[in-house]
Amino acid sequence: MEKLLKIDLKRILHSRRFCILILVEIAVVVLSYVWNTYPYGQTLWNVAKQPFAPAPEFHVDWLEAYYPFTWYDKWIGAGMGDSILDHFYFIAMPLCAAFAMGDYVTKDHTTGYVKQVFLHVGRKQYYAEKGVCSFLVGGITILIPLIVNIFLNA
């Protein structure tokens, strides 16, 4: 099972479709950062350049503009952003995780690769390996864009 798992992980992680899927997810995360977090940083930078400027009237927008957010406050997983990209990412995240592995399972069945594997490995062991591989690939598909977003916000 370990040998088959290594072969499947290598096939999936080095495929062109998987790389495109990860790049699209990273693009959504980066656009969310640019749309939500970057303007706050620019406002804080402008305030830091003028430390003796008179404070504007106290209201919610002023408080949001001058409050120094931490990386945990503004990353896409905190749920603070009301951006359409944040919502799109969390709606599409399970679909992307399922697509990464489901594409290869379908391809294996249509090409007859499964029949060749069944000659060497039993059905139960094959599908158990596919379950473990699906779990690992889905986790990688979800974690890579989130880690990129945390690094952008740090």
Side-chain angles (χ1 to χ4, degrees):
M1 182 167 151
E2 292 175 12
K3 189 174 185 179
L4 189 59
L5 182 65
K6 287 180 184 179
I7 291 170
D8 279 346
L9 284 175
K10 186 176 181 180
R11 278 179 51 208
I12 294 169
L13 296 178
H14 293 347
S15 72
R16 184 173 292 173
R17 288 183 182 182
F18 182 77
C19 291
I20 291 171
L21 180 69
I22 293 294
L23 288 176
V24 167
E25 286 183 337
I26 288 174
V28 169
V29 166
V30 168
L31 285 174
S32 173
Y33 166 77
V34 169
W35 194 336
N36 291 334
T37 308
Y38 188 71
Y40 287 110
Q42 290 299 325
T43 303
L44 288 173
W45 177 252
N46 291 336
V47 169
K49 288 193 300 186
Q50 302 171 357
F52 299 110
E57 296 178 21
F58 183 81
H59 53 83
V60 176
D61 292 336
W62 181 83
L63 185 61
E64 286 182 0
Y66 290 93
Y67 180 75
F69 290 109
T70 63
W71 66 270
Y72 181 76
D73 291 331
K74 292 303 287 180
W75 78 296
I76 198 169
M80 189 173 174
D82 291 329
S83 170
I84 189 75
L85 290 170
D86 295 353
H87 297 295
F88 173 74
Y89 179 75
F90 284 109
I91 289 171
M93 185 171 47
L95 296 174
C96 292
F99 178 74
M101 186 65 189
D103 185 37
Y104 273 91
V105 172
T106 305
K107 187 176 179 181
D108 289 349
H109 282 282
T110 56
T111 60
Y113 176 73
V114 174
K115 293 177 186 175
Q116 296 296 322
V117 173
F118 284 161
L119 292 174
H120 302 286
V121 179
R123 287 180 185 259
K124 287 183 181 180
Q125 189 176 4
Y126 172 76
Y127 286 117
E129 183 272 330
K130 287 294 179 186
V132 170
C133 190
S134 176
F135 176 77
L136 293 174
V137 170
I140 291 169
T141 306
I142 291 171
L143 285 178
I144 288 175
L146 291 178
I147 290 171
V148 167
N149 189 262
I150 287 174
F151 282 139
L152 286 174
N153 286 308

